[in-house]
């Protein structure tokens, strides 16, 4: 079996045929690797996509982000290397990013127009497509744990608003004041977006974290956690908690998490679409991710997708300037990247 990893900003022309309405730019894709056998476990992570450029980045921040991504990657990789479950690896990687104020999830989440935080998260277990999600939680410190509790401890798949916070409390999950999530950078971003709302493009207002993993048993899982989009309306729910929009996992098919302008990812049903393209149309994971993102781009949306294919082969696709991302596998490969023109 051959597999490929698609990353970066070049090539992929065949995938772009369906994309007729740039900008935003068409999804980027380049074949960078081919191996005879897939790794026995693998892990992809993202920390959000958007207007992430070298000119807008200081060397210090660039280094901090890479170190943070590597910490998240190593947390998930440690679980998988010890024979742990893909769901635990996804949770471990996302928890690190929820605790890191540099990412738009948990502490460091963006603010709504009302100056509060409403957080969304989802997990999915590819063994049986069981899933759990929370939308608009305000006091649970780690929304990814609340999503997992919904999946494992309730008979439902999604809770929203006060009911979701209340459920998380009954599960003994750590609670914080809503102001815990605020950082000076997010407060400044809200001020700027509110002041410049008319001129501000959506693509500098988002970010999210996510992970997808395949463990040594071949089980696949995915998870996504976000504060949503800066200055979003109170009550707005994005793609992160909606199963099949940003998050999906099915053993032997795919595990995926998206980041970007959520309304477009919901309209396309990106995560389920790309998994169906693998399962029903026989596309490679990279082709499927590219095609799903083509559909987002054709509607005018932007963002990025990380995914693992049936054998754990990774795909990274974006039509935004950058996406915080990383990859690890059982062969010892570890890398993180930020900009769209990085070759992985
Ligand atoms: N997709 C998220 C949302 O729309 C934001 C992001 O990923 O950047 O809520």
């Amino acid at each position: 079996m051959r597999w490929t990893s698609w990353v970066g900003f070049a090539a992929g022309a065949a995938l772009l045929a369906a994309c007729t309405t740039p900008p935003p730019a068409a999804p980027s894709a380049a074949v960078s690797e081919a191996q005879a056998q897939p790794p026995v476990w693998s892990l992809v992570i993202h920390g959000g996509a958007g207007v992430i450029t070298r000119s807008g980045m200081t060397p210090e921040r660039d280094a901090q982000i890479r170190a943070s991504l590597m910490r998240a990657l190593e947390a998930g990789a440690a679980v998988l290397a010890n024979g742990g479950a893909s769901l635990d690896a996804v949770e471990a990687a996302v928890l690190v990013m929820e605790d890191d104020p540099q990412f738009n999830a948990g502490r460091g989440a963006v603010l709504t127009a009302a100056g509060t935080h409403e957080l969304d998260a989802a997990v999915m277990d590819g063994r049986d497509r069981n899933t759990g999600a929370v939308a608009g939680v305000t006091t649970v410190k780690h929304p990814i744990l609340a999503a997992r509790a919904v999946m494992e401890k309730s008979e439902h798949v999604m809770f929203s608003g006060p009911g979701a916070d209340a459920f998380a409390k009954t599960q003994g999950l750590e609670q914080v004041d809503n102001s815990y999530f605020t950082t000076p950078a997010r407060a400044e971003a809200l001020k700027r977006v509110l002041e410049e709302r008319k001129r501000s493009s959506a693509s500098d207002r988002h970010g999210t974290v996510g992970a997808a993993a395949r463990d040594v048993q071949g089980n696949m899982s995915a998870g996504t956690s976000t504060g949503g989009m800066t200055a979003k309306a109170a009550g707005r729910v994005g793609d992160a908690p909606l199963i099949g929009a940003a998050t999906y996992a099915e053993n032997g098919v795919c595990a995926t998490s998206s980041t970007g302008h959520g309304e477009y990812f919901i309209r396309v049903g990106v995560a389920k679409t790309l998994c169906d393209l693998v399962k029903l149309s026989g596309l490679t994971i990279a082709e499927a991710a590219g095609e799903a993102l083509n559909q987002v781009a054709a509607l005018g949306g932007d963002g990025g997708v990380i995914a693992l294919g049936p054998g754990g082969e990774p795909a990274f696709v974006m039509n935004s300037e950058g996406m915080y991302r990383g990859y690890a596998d059982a062969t010892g490969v570890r890398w993180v990247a930020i900009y769209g023109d990085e070759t992985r």
Side-chain angles (χ1 to χ4, degrees), residues 46 48-49 104 120 205-209 224 226-229 232 236-241 246 258-263 265:
H46 71 77
N104 174 18
D120 300 334
R205 296 201 280 122
H206 50 69
T208 277
V209 308
T224 309
T226 189
M229 295 180 70
K232 68 183 181 182
R236 177 261 190 189
V237 175
D239 57 329
S258 302
T259 171
H261 195 154
E263 280 70 11
F265 283 71

Side-chain angles (χ1 to χ4, degrees), residues 41-139:
W41 62 259
S42 54
L43 171 70
V44 286
I45 64 166
H46 71 77
V51 183
I52 305 168
T53 59
R54 284 194 172 77
S55 56
M57 189 75 81
T58 62
E60 294 73 29
R61 184 159 161 70
D62 179 299
Q64 273 170 9
I65 295 271
R66 285 177 201 273
S68 294
L69 287 168
M70 194 53 87
R71 268 198 302 279
L73 200 59
E74 291 293 359
V79 173
L80 294 165
N82 287 328
S86 57
L87 192 60
D88 292 331
V90 164
E91 177 185 298
V94 171
L95 278 176
V96 170
M97 292 188 279
E98 283 185 340
D99 281 339
D100 192 322
Q102 299 186 95
F103 301 112
N104 174 18
R107 182 156 161 72
V110 299
L111 288 145
T112 66
T116 59
H117 299 276
E118 296 181 2
L119 312 174
D120 300 334
V123 293
M124 187 159 184
D125 184 336
R127 286 177 299 183
D128 53 2
R129 289 192 272 178
N130 200 5
T131 186
V134 289
V137 290
T138 59
T139 57

